[in-house]
Amino acid sequence: MEDLTEFHPTHCNTLAYSSSKGSIRLIDLRQSALCDSHSKLFEEQEAPSSRSFFTEIIASISDVKFARDGRYLLSRDYMTLKLWDINMDSGPVTTFQVHEYLRPKECF
């Protein structure tokens, strides 16, 4: 799986790092040049009963971009677009469903 990075448009020391597990981390490079710790974590919690073999594949983030002002992040996985406010890491501001016609065909 692929990891993606995106630098903040106005704070060059901050970058967003997304993982194949569906999480996005904000990293302040003034703290450490390594990506081994993060300042904020953005992810949606799932109930353990809803996890399946395909959950990680579908949750894998394929792209992440900052808004021009740097306040929002837009992430794309296989089934959704999620808009995140970087000041509010409890969950996305809104979620847009993509490929909704595929939901009934999911095998999990």
Side-chain angles (χ1 to χ4, degrees):
M1 293 288 177
E2 186 177 328
D3 295 324
L4 300 167
T5 58
E6 173 82 4
F7 277 94
H8 193 280
T10 59
H11 302 292
C12 62
N13 58 295
T14 303
L15 68 93
Y17 173 87
S18 67
S19 74
S20 63
K21 296 187 188 245
S23 63
I24 302 169
R25 292 171 173 82
L26 279 186
I27 299 167
D28 187 344
L29 295 174
R30 294 174 298 184
Q31 302 294 325
S32 173
L34 300 175
C35 295
D36 56 353
S37 64
H38 59 272
S39 55
K40 285 200 175 196
L41 176 66
F42 302 95
E43 66 182 353
E44 279 191 302
Q45 298 298 323
E46 287 186 36
S49 61
S50 68
R51 295 191 63 87
S52 74
F53 175 76
F54 297 104
T55 304
E56 185 176 330
I57 295 169
I58 289 176
S60 177
I61 295 175
S62 58
D63 202 7
V64 62
K65 296 289 181 195
F66 276 102
R68 287 186 183 151
D69 65 359
R71 175 156 182 198
Y72 296 98
L73 278 168
L74 184 66
S75 65
R76 169 78 160 94
D77 60 32
Y78 288 102
M79 299 301 282
T80 62
L81 283 167
K82 294 177 183 163
L83 184 66
W84 302 87
D85 183 338
I86 65 167
N87 298 320
M88 184 183 78
D89 55 1
S90 60
V93 174
T94 190
T95 300
F96 302 97
Q97 300 300 321
V98 181
H99 304 304
E100 193 60 32
Y101 64 92
L102 293 176
R103 288 239 181 246
K105 299 175 182 168
E106 291 177 346
C107 55
F108 49 93

